[in-house]
Amino acid sequence: MLVTDFHFDLPEELIAQSPPAIRGSSRMLVLDRETGLYDDNFFRNLPEILKSGDLLILNDSRVLPARLYATRARGQQTQRSSPDPSGRIEVLLTQQLAANEWTALVRPSRKIQPGERLLFCAPNESEPLLQAEVIAASEFGERTLRFDPSPKFHAILNKIGHMPLPPYIHRDDSEEDRDRYQTVFSHEVGSAAAPTAGLHFTPEILAQLQQNDIQIETITLHVGLGTFQPVRAEKLEDIRLHAEHYTLPANTAEAINKAQSEGRRVIAAGTTTTRTLEHCGQIFSGLPLEPHSGQTSIFISPGYQFRVVSGLLTNFHLPQSTLLMLVSAFAGSEKGREAVLAAYAHAVEQKYRFFSYGDCMLLL
């Protein structure tokens, strides 16, 4: 299959630029995987749509204020033709590699090579709060940074960092985003982007789910570089994803094993949760899951046989994206792509809101 097989036309005005006024008020398109039929609904009705005994898995990763602005230690200016000719360097932390080492996207990147030192200051201050050396360079603006040790690293990030809103949100981040670009159950700090299917949940909806005998457990997958990089291959078979760190806790492994042995559904909130659970299903190959941590670069596309996930809550995704391919795979091995693209066409016609701050879709 070709990447272009997953194209659809999306009017710019349907890309949500801000979260809904009230968390949990989003619309939800419900797709029946067996028939391909879909119905318009609302996320607030999820506790009534899921069945007693369902196991719902959430990704509890917490988003870092990972977008930083730096200057070059040598005082050199960037080229006047650069996106920001003031000399400011934009740094987006994407994954922690070691105690003080991170991968990052750097812009403008051509002049920022190994050996360069970057200084990170608070606005209107000249004394750097953080310093880092560029120790490696990869393609497409990827760099590896080694920060000078600081016991207050995360506190400084919270002070000078910006929420890493996706590039299709055409505005600067605001104070509201520090709350609304986090799930209400986020706990484990480490993501460079929100697991956006989780943004719809409220404490009240989570409580209603539990009252309706729907079990809730969590995994952690820290969303990394792959979220920000476009697909550059032409064929699906040539796509390679960046590895992301995950943890499968003991309670969640036990709950999944019990649900599967009893024939109960496992509902994944988001593609990040789905990728984590299916990676675990692959490595244990039919055996009971065991708690562990690791890295996954699993790419799920039509033809994939799902081992763990039997229901998927997800936002609407970009054209020609690996996430749209995953959703198409989950919708069915033969007609899944057609069913999802038909549902997306309906969502466009009905003016659903798309992408991170947009509406959602439930596939059962």
Side-chain angles (χ1 to χ4, degrees):
M1 299 184 78
L2 300 177
V3 170
T4 52
D5 291 334
F6 295 86
H7 179 76
F8 66 93
D9 293 323
L10 179 66
E12 182 78 17
E13 63 267 20
L14 296 186
I15 301 174
Q17 297 297 305
S18 299
I22 301 173
R23 193 191 289 264
S25 62
S26 301
R27 300 165 72 188
M28 182 170 70
L29 187 64
V30 182
L31 174 67
D32 186 315
R33 294 194 294 157
E34 288 190 8
T35 65
L37 300 177
Y38 45 80
D39 293 301
D40 299 306
N41 213 307
F42 292 92
F43 178 77
R44 63 174 179 265
N45 296 326
L46 182 68
E48 284 67 49
I49 295 173
L50 298 185
K51 296 189 296 189
S52 173
D54 282 346
L55 172 60
L56 174 65
I57 311 293
L58 310 173
N59 181 2
D60 67 1
S61 182
R62 187 166 179 82
V63 182
L64 288 160
R67 179 170 279 113
L68 303 170
Y69 295 98
T71 56
R72 301 167 69 185
R74 289 180 293 187
Q76 296 177 349
Q77 299 293 302
T78 53
Q79 292 180 324
R80 292 187 178 275
S81 60
S82 75
D84 190 345
S86 67
R88 187 176 69 164
I89 308 298
E90 181 178 337
V91 175
L92 177 61
L93 304 180
T94 56
Q95 186 177 31
Q96 186 169 9
L97 303 175
N100 299 303
E101 293 184 8
W102 292 77
T103 56
L105 291 176
V106 174
R107 190 176 70 123
S109 61
R110 191 171 69 87
K111 290 287 187 179
I112 307 303
Q113 298 298 329
E116 187 89 45
R117 285 190 66 80
L118 301 177
L119 309 180
F120 300 85
C121 303
N124 303 316
E125 294 183 12
S126 58
E127 189 68 25
L129 298 178
L130 294 173
Q131 298 188 42
E133 180 182 355
V134 180
I135 62 173
S138 301
E139 293 182 306
F140 310 119
E142 298 171 36
R143 299 292 184 266
T144 302
L145 306 183
R146 179 183 293 136
F147 284 86
D148 293 355
S150 171
K152 299 180 179 179
F153 181 81
H154 284 285
I156 294 171
L157 277 191
N158 285 328
K159 179 178 180 179
I160 67 173
H162 297 259
M163 294 303 283
L165 298 181
Y168 47 75
I169 294 181
H170 303 304
R171 61 176 176 81
D172 293 334
D173 65 307
S174 67
E175 192 62 31
E176 180 190 34
D177 295 309
R178 287 189 172 253
D179 172 57
R180 297 301 300 274
Y181 200 60
Q182 299 279 16
T183 66
V184 298
F185 47 81
S186 64
H187 183 262
E188 301 296 329
V189 177
S191 275
T196 54
L199 295 179
H200 305 281
F201 288 91
T202 67
E204 295 77 16
I205 290 174
L206 290 169
Q208 187 61 54
L209 286 162
Q210 292 176 316
Q211 289 175 13
N212 290 7
D213 196 30
I214 294 157
Q215 185 179 0
I216 301 175
E217 301 292 347
T218 63
I219 57 90
T220 303
L221 180 130
H222 292 318
V223 185
L225 185 63
T227 294
F228 300 93
Q229 295 287 36
V231 175
R232 294 186 172 90
E234 294 183 358
K235 299 179 180 179
L236 268 62
E237 63 197 54
D238 296 327
I239 293 175
R240 300 292 181 271
L241 300 186
H242 288 78
E244 296 169 311
H245 183 80
Y246 72 88
T247 295
L248 177 69
N251 287 349
T252 306
E254 180 181 353
I256 292 170
N257 293 335
K258 193 169 188 292
Q260 290 193 310
S261 68
E262 296 173 353
R264 294 185 284 116
R265 297 189 301 187
V266 177
I267 313 295
T271 56
T272 59
T273 303
T274 301
R275 293 178 62 243
T276 302
L277 297 180
E278 289 302 317
H279 172 85
C280 294
Q282 279 190 353
I283 64 175
F284 286 99
S285 189
L287 298 174
L289 303 186
E290 296 180 4
H292 68 287
S293 296
Q295 290 198 325
T296 181
S297 56
I298 186 173
F299 169 52
I300 296 175
S301 61
Y304 177 85
Q305 298 298 312
F306 286 81
R307 294 168 168 83
V308 178
V309 177
S310 45
L312 171 61
L313 174 74
T314 185
N315 279 23
F316 292 94
H317 301 293
L318 276 72
Q320 302 185 37
S321 65
T322 60
L323 303 183
L324 180 56
M325 296 166 196
L326 182 154
V327 175
S328 299
F330 188 74
S333 58
E334 295 184 4
K335 299 284 188 177
R337 181 182 67 90
E338 292 88 343
V340 168
L341 290 179
Y344 269 51
H346 172 80
V348 169
E349 180 183 351
Q350 296 300 313
K351 299 190 183 305
Y352 276 68
R353 302 169 78 243
F354 276 68
F355 307 162
S356 294
Y357 272 147
D359 296 312
C360 60
M361 186 175 182
L362 179 66
L363 295 89
L364 295 172

